[in-house]
């Protein structure tokens, strides 16, 4: 079974803190993604990566950055956390190809106080 | 500007009956559609998909219908089971672009 593992299930941070969310996948997928899920808004794409050291902005990249130093690991960074970044963060991965399916991690619920 | 809309935040159905979840989209360029299911404390999991060249795809109790002229997608679950209670997201893709998700519908199947 494909496994996408997110390092924390719950995280509480203070406004202005630098926050790292880590994601690891074990299926040698080329593509990795970071989404946030908010009530009434569904899943919105923050950043994605097609390969090591590659990154592309999604629909809502402001206030976030990412790092992909190894194929299996994709990190989401909040440089200076703000209260409007309180959300459920979901990591996903997939193979490259037409109509590839995303495999998601269990999510990290981040609260910024 | 939501290109994929799920207008019903919630739906309750009796066990054994049919569940119909709806999804509307505005971008006529979308050519591939998917449904994901999400249980609490878990990530979404892929359920079923359909290409724009088809109007129906069936997998066991789950059938997805696509009406391109109406820009409407629906997921039918027959018969519904209590284990189907979850949030269902529809998603759409245009070519090699990334998935665009709807806001989700909470399905509750009552025993």
């Amino acid at each position: 079974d494909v496994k996408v593992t997110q390092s924390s299930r719950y995280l509480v941070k203070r406004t202005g803190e630098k926050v790292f969310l880590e994601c690891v996948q074990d299926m040698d997928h080329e593509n990795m993604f970071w989404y946030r899920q908010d009530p009434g808004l569904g899943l919105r794409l923050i950043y994605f990566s097609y390969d090591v050291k590659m990154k592309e902005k999604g629909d809502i990249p402001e206030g976030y950055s990412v790092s992909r130093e190894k194929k299996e690991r994709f990190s989401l960074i909040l440089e200076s956390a703000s209260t409007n970044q309180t959300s459920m963060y979901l990591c996903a991965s997939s193979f490259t190809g037409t109509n590839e399916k995303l495999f998601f991690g269990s999510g990290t619920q981040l609260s910024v106080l | 500007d939501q290109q994929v809309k799920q207008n019903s935040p919630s739906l309750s159905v009796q066990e054994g009956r049919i569940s119909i979840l709806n999804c509307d989209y505005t971008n006529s360029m979308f050519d591939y559609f998917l449904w994901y299911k999400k249980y609490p404390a878990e990530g979404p999991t892929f359920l079923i998909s359909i290409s724009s060249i088809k109007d129906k795809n069936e997998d066991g109790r789950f059938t997805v219908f696509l009406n391109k002229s109406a820009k409407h997608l629906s997921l039918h679950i027959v018969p519904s089971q209590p284990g189907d209670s979850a949030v269902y997201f529809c998603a759409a893709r245009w070519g090699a672009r990334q998935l665009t998700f709807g806001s989700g519908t909470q399905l509750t199947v009552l025993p």
Side-chain angles (χ1 to χ4, degrees):
Chain A
D1 275 357
V2 174
K3 190 138 189 181
V4 180
T5 303
Q6 294 184 230
S7 54
S8 303
R9 182 75 185 100
Y10 297 99
L11 213 50
V12 180
K13 296 292 180 181
R14 295 283 180 190
T15 302
E17 279 193 76
K18 190 168 186 176
V19 181
F20 292 86
L21 301 183
E22 306 287 345
C23 176
V24 177
Q25 51 93 4
D26 66 358
M27 282 301 293
D28 203 33
H29 285 167
E30 296 90 358
N31 308 317
M32 297 190 74
F33 307 82
W34 275 106
Y35 287 86
R36 62 179 281 178
Q37 180 193 355
D38 299 289
L41 296 176
L43 279 68
R44 292 181 293 165
L45 182 63
I46 304 171
Y47 265 98
F48 59 101
S49 169
Y50 287 130
D51 201 351
V52 175
K53 298 193 185 296
M54 302 286 288
K55 60 183 179 183
E56 297 282 344
K57 292 180 180 179
D59 299 320
I60 51 164
E62 296 78 19
Y64 303 94
S65 62
V66 290
S67 171
R68 194 166 182 202
E69 296 296 318
K70 292 185 178 181
K71 188 175 186 179
E72 67 271 19
R73 186 180 296 270
F74 193 36
S75 303
L76 180 69
I77 304 155
L78 287 67
E79 294 290 342
S80 177
S82 62
T83 54
N84 63 13
Q85 292 179 310
T86 291
S87 186
M88 169 66 76
Y89 289 87
L90 292 159
C91 175
S93 68
S94 73
F95 284 117
T96 294
T98 56
N99 302 333
E100 71 274 12
K101 301 172 185 56
L102 297 182
F103 295 87
F104 283 87
S106 299
T108 296
Q109 179 61 53
L110 173 67
S111 296
V112 182
L113 307 177
Chain B
D1 177 27
Q2 283 193 299
Q3 297 187 66
V4 178
K5 298 179 184 178
Q6 295 177 256
N7 292 317
S8 297
S10 62
L11 175 68
S12 291
V13 172
Q14 283 299 131
E15 181 178 3
R17 305 295 290 267
I18 184 171
S19 295
I20 301 176
L21 295 96
N22 294 304
C23 180
D24 296 300
Y25 61 95
T26 56
N27 189 342
S28 58
M29 299 297 291
F30 286 141
D31 57 8
Y32 191 64
F33 303 87
L34 305 89
W35 285 93
Y36 279 80
K37 179 169 71 174
K38 185 181 185 299
Y39 292 118
E42 295 183 15
T45 55
F46 169 77
L47 187 58
I48 193 169
S49 62
I50 187 167
S51 166
S52 61
I53 62 173
K54 296 186 175 182
D55 54 20
K56 177 183 173 181
N57 189 25
E58 195 170 349
D59 183 2
R61 296 185 297 114
F62 302 91
T63 303
V64 57
F65 295 91
L66 176 62
N67 183 334
K68 289 186 288 295
S69 60
K71 295 191 182 67
H72 180 79
L73 189 70
S74 63
L75 174 68
H76 293 210
I77 307 173
V78 184
S80 302
Q81 299 173 353
D84 296 329
S85 296
V87 177
Y88 289 79
F89 292 98
C90 69
R93 173 181 290 134
W94 166 22
R97 286 170 170 77
Q98 303 312 310
L99 287 177
T100 299
F101 284 86
S103 54
T105 297
Q106 171 70 57
L107 173 65
T108 302
V109 180
L110 305 168

